[in-house]
Amino acid sequence: MKTADFFVDRLKAWGVKRIFGYSGDGINGVIGALQRDGGIDFIQPRHEEMAAFMAVAHAKFTGDLGVCLATGGPGATHLITGLYDAKLDHMPVLAICGQAESTVRGGSYQQELNLDRAFADVAEYVQEVSHPAQLPHVIDRAIRMALARRGPAVVVLPKDVQEQAFEAPKRAHGFTRSGPGYSRPVIVPAEADLRKAADVLNAGEKVAMLIGAGAIGASEEVISVAEKLGAGVAKALLGKSALPDDLPFVTGCIGLLGTKPSSNLMNGCDTLLIVGSGFPWSEFLPKDGAARAVQIDVEPAMLSLRYPCEVNLHGDAAETLRLLLPMLNEKGREWRREIEGWLRDWWQTLEARAMTSAHPINPQRVVSEMSLRLPDNAIITSDSGSCANWYARDYRVKRGQMASLSGGLASMGAAVPYAIGAKFAHPDRAVIALVGDGAMQMNNMAELITVAKYMDRWPEKRLVICVFNNEDLNEVTWEQRVMNGNPRFDASQDIPDVRYSKFAELIGLSGIYIDNPDDLGSAWEQALSADRPVVLEVKTDPEIAPLPPHISFKEAKNFMFSMAKDADAAHVIRDTARQVANAVLHREKAD
Ligand SMILES: Cc1ncc(C[n+]2csc(CCOP(=O)(O)OP(=O)(O)O)c2C)c(N)n1
Ligand SMILES: [Mg+2]
């Protein structure tokens, strides 16, 4: 048995069924072993970074280990962004990398990089294997640490080691023997600490909850606690699918991409309960001293990180909330009624914003029309860009749906590989990816070829890639205007107009192109009833600002009109942007 054959056996012992990988001579020994074995499904993307994003998506949408593979040198460096995505969103991912022969290591050989060093920052564990007997503990530790620490781990295998005869570690000095297997513990706080938390929560009258990705899988417990406390619940972007948006106390997302009710909730509460969230923008949380706070997180490094909490509970979201529930007193409903009122207004505001006419199509409406028509078990992914705003606000997630994006890293280029990862993980579910044209051109377009390559494998054919063609790196154009007060800089912001829907047709997918808002509803219906993956290309208006949540509809409307009128006058843009920024800042001060 070659060392590479042992490697594949051990991956199977760990339950690995699929690898997203790209070949190269540095890893051909392992690829040969995968070929001989035939028991692991090898999925080939167009680029190693995409393999890593697919592995992250696999982890996000299944809860299991995601696995990617690349050759050494450039294949390994291509993986790095995807592995950072795993690290920042706390996903267990194993990366398998090739390497030049151990006999030339340190010799500036072709494609020879010091990968231990290159991956040192991103990986929870990285180790190059220099002897066959070393492999068992390296692979076991890598997977165990990826799972236990919820992050990426990397195994680097030199070419010659892959081909050597496997030698099991001996029961002798200078060897170590290991085995596969890991069971995730259920972590719960001590009872006395739960009581302290309950005391804080019981003392308050206006409770706000903030939930994140750590609350996915704890929906029932979050709902029970929120009901008992009469609390409103705001969601960090990665926790969007943790609770459906049709509950009357769910205020939607929070932060720059968030909703006004979430802002009101945080500004008006006297007590805050944070569950499984590392939501970064602490300026959206209550002022110092305005709220007494409790936090629950399975990752102790995230406790009291954004807001000083009186009680910091290290524990799993679902189990900890279950234990807390009987200790909580039922509260009155006044605060809850207030929250419900904000939400009624907010949904109307959003509807009005989405239906505001635009040139040609208002991107908010693209997502609100989608939201109405999604299958109950759909999986939604979004790229980074202005569509992440519409994903956060205008997509009303339903119970049973799953949704994610590159959250912590906010990398462009993740939506289509995430969608492909989702489709492999759940081939019986419809998947929708929301993507900007810049992100499409960066790499998502090439991954359409991967979709075409594998679409026959998926029994549920529906995979819609919705492209927002605005010929602009729009999210950043607005950041430049509003945050820096600079006018649009064509040299850095223009994106060439490309007919994505035609490209889709060229490679065997369906393509739909629309530039009339009246066609949106029927276009979504057509895309969601197609017999193959579809690129739904929508010509959208780059002058619809991803407004921060505080701004009123009237202000938003005025702002958009003035932008539309004066789009060529840099000073007007600059002044208007400043005015909006000032209005928002002033309101925050007044709050
Ligand atoms: C890899 C990477 N490069 C740059 C950025 C910065 N960035 C964030 S959004 C964005 C613009 C995205 O443009 P597009 O995909 O066309 O979407 P739009 O905002 O126009 O809807 C940029 C450049 C990033 N997040 N990731
Ligand atoms: Mg764009």
Side-chain angles (χ1 to χ4, degrees):
M1 181 190 239
K2 291 184 181 182
T3 299
D5 293 309
F6 172 84
F7 188 70
V8 171
D9 270 3
R10 198 60 149 221
L11 289 175
K12 290 201 306 185
W14 274 98
V16 172
K17 297 195 170 53
R18 184 174 305 123
I19 293 178
F20 299 99
Y22 207 87
S23 69
D25 71 328
I27 196 67
N28 275 347
V30 171
I31 290 182
L34 288 164
Q35 184 182 21
R36 282 190 288 281
D37 180 82
I40 295 181
D41 198 12
F42 189 96
I43 307 298
Q44 176 218 60
R46 303 311 96 209
H47 186 296
E48 293 86 351
E49 182 180 316
M50 304 298 107
F53 280 141
M54 288 173 198
V56 177
H58 178 88
K60 286 188 169 185
F61 295 125
T62 65
D64 299 333
L65 179 79
V67 184
C68 53
L69 172 148
T71 190
T77 54
H78 271 184
L79 285 177
I80 285 180
T81 301
L83 295 184
Y84 270 107
D85 188 45
K87 182 185 182 75
L88 270 61
D89 286 355
H90 307 282
M91 287 297 134
V93 168
L94 173 71
I96 302 161
C97 288
Q99 175 61 290
E101 291 85 346
S102 55
T103 44
V104 296
R105 292 286 289 111
S108 298
Y109 206 65
Q110 194 206 20
Q111 294 195 332
E112 186 227 344
L113 302 175
N114 188 332
L115 296 180
D116 282 17
R117 224 179 283 171
F119 288 116
D121 182 60
V122 72
E124 292 295 336
Y125 179 77
V126 49
Q127 183 62 50
E128 181 168 331
V129 177
S130 54
H131 189 283
Q134 188 193 356
L135 184 60
H137 74 259
V138 169
I139 181 159
D140 291 342
R141 280 196 104 188
I143 297 181
R144 214 168 352 249
M145 285 167 76
L147 290 169
R149 297 191 183 167
R150 299 163 205 266
V154 186
V155 175
V156 180
L157 282 168
K159 282 159 75 166
D160 50 344
V161 178
Q162 296 169 39
E163 295 291 352
Q164 280 164 18
F166 178 65
E167 286 173 47
K170 300 185 178 67
R171 178 174 175 261
H173 189 74
F175 290 90
T176 185
R177 292 166 293 156
S178 94
Y182 171 73
S183 306
R184 191 181 294 288
V186 176
I187 300 172
V188 288
E191 186 174 342
D193 296 320
L194 288 165
R195 293 241 165 255
K196 278 188 212 153
D199 288 347
V200 172
L201 298 170
N202 285 333
E205 280 170 12
K206 299 177 171 186
V207 183
M209 291 176 70
L210 167 62
I211 63 170
I216 292 175
S219 324
E220 294 315 316
E221 292 78 4
V222 171
I223 291 171
S224 304
V225 167
E227 286 288 11
K228 204 155 181 191
L229 294 174
V233 187
K235 300 184 288 186
L237 197 53
L238 284 172
K240 178 159 176 105
S241 64
L243 273 193
D245 282 314
D246 53 10
L247 295 172
F249 54 89
V250 174
T251 61
C253 285
I254 183 171
L256 279 174
L257 281 60
T259 70
K260 188 160 187 295
S262 292
S263 279
N264 294 351
L265 183 70
M266 292 298 152
N267 287 325
C269 70
D270 61 16
T271 309
L272 174 63
L273 171 58
I274 305 175
V275 183
S277 175
F279 170 66
W281 299 318
S282 61
E283 69 271 29
F284 286 89
L285 299 181
K287 292 184 183 140
D288 279 4
R292 298 178 67 191
V294 172
Q295 186 168 356
I296 301 169
D297 209 298
V298 74
E299 171 56 65
M302 303 313 287
L303 291 167
S304 261
L305 185 63
R306 313 290 183 212
Y307 188 82
C309 295
E310 239 174 279
V311 187
N312 292 285
L313 299 176
H314 180 191
D316 288 343
E319 208 53 42
T320 306
L321 290 172
R322 218 191 325 262
L323 293 172
L324 202 53
L325 188 65
M327 301 178 184
L328 301 175
N329 301 334
E330 188 95 31
K331 287 197 200 299
R333 299 280 109 174
E334 301 83 67
W335 170 238
R336 170 75 181 262
R337 274 195 287 277
E338 205 177 328
I339 296 166
E340 289 178 12
W342 299 334
L343 276 163
R344 276 191 297 274
D345 290 350
W346 173 251
W347 291 121
Q348 282 172 11
T349 302
L350 267 191
E351 168 81 7
R353 283 190 187 178
M355 296 309 286
T356 305
S357 63
H359 306 92
I361 294 182
N362 185 328
Q364 296 165 100
R365 191 167 164 196
V366 178
V367 178
S368 61
E369 298 273 5
M370 170 197 82
S371 196
L372 295 171
R373 293 172 171 83
L374 287 177
D376 288 349
N377 67 352
I379 303 177
I380 317 302
T381 70
S382 171
D383 222 280
S384 279
S386 65
C387 65
N389 289 265
W390 325 132
Y391 161 87
R393 295 201 193 113
D394 296 275
Y395 160 40
R396 294 181 73 166
V397 65
K398 283 197 216 142
R399 198 181 284 259
Q401 292 174 347
M402 293 199 269
S404 200
L405 38 53
S406 167
L409 191 61
S411 178
M412 283 169 74
V416 175
Y418 266 32
I420 294 170
K423 206 68 192 167
F424 276 110
H426 300 283
D428 54 339
R429 295 173 74 150
V431 177
I432 290 89
L434 304 173
V435 198
D437 48 0
M440 209 58 200
Q441 292 177 22
M442 186 176 270
N443 52 10
N444 285 297
M445 223 170 145
E447 287 314 311
L448 295 180
I449 300 168
T450 309
V451 171
K453 179 172 179 185
Y454 290 106
M455 64 184 180
D456 291 341
R457 292 230 205 151
W458 303 320
E460 151 67 86
K461 296 294 170 205
R462 292 178 294 180
L463 169 55
V464 184
I465 293 103
C466 176
V467 183
F468 296 75
N469 179 342
N470 54 17
E471 295 176 48
D472 187 28
L473 293 173
N474 195 241
E475 175 72 22
V476 175
T477 298
W478 281 104
E479 286 165 359
Q480 290 169 346
R481 283 168 172 163
V482 177
M483 315 259 194
N484 304 75
N486 293 333
R488 186 175 188 281
F489 183 36
D490 298 347
S492 77
Q493 300 312 104
D494 278 354
I495 284 291
D497 190 12
V498 169
R499 201 54 2 116
Y500 309 91
S501 47
K502 288 276 177 237
F503 177 72
E505 287 171 356
L506 183 70
I507 61 168
L509 313 183
S510 287
I512 303 172
Y513 173 84
I514 58 165
D515 55 11
N516 180 346
D518 296 336
D519 296 338
L520 261 175
S522 58
W524 271 114
E525 269 151 35
Q526 196 187 331
L528 285 168
S529 56
D531 64 353
R532 64 184 58 220
V534 180
V535 169
L536 170 56
E537 178 184 356
V538 186
K539 197 79 193 161
T540 53
D541 188 348
E543 301 304 340
I544 299 290
L547 293 169
H550 281 84
I551 201 152
S552 71
F553 173 58
K554 195 159 160 258
E555 286 164 320
K557 208 168 136 199
N558 291 343
F559 183 32
M560 285 188 280
F561 277 143
S562 64
M563 290 305 304
K565 262 198 304 233
D566 300 311
D568 292 321
H571 68 280
V572 178
I573 292 171
R574 197 164 56 237
D575 291 348
T576 314
R578 285 228 176 90
Q579 279 172 42
V580 172
N582 285 340
V584 173
L585 290 173
H586 177 76
R587 181 101 46 82
E588 269 178 356
K589 276 194 207 115
D591 285 345

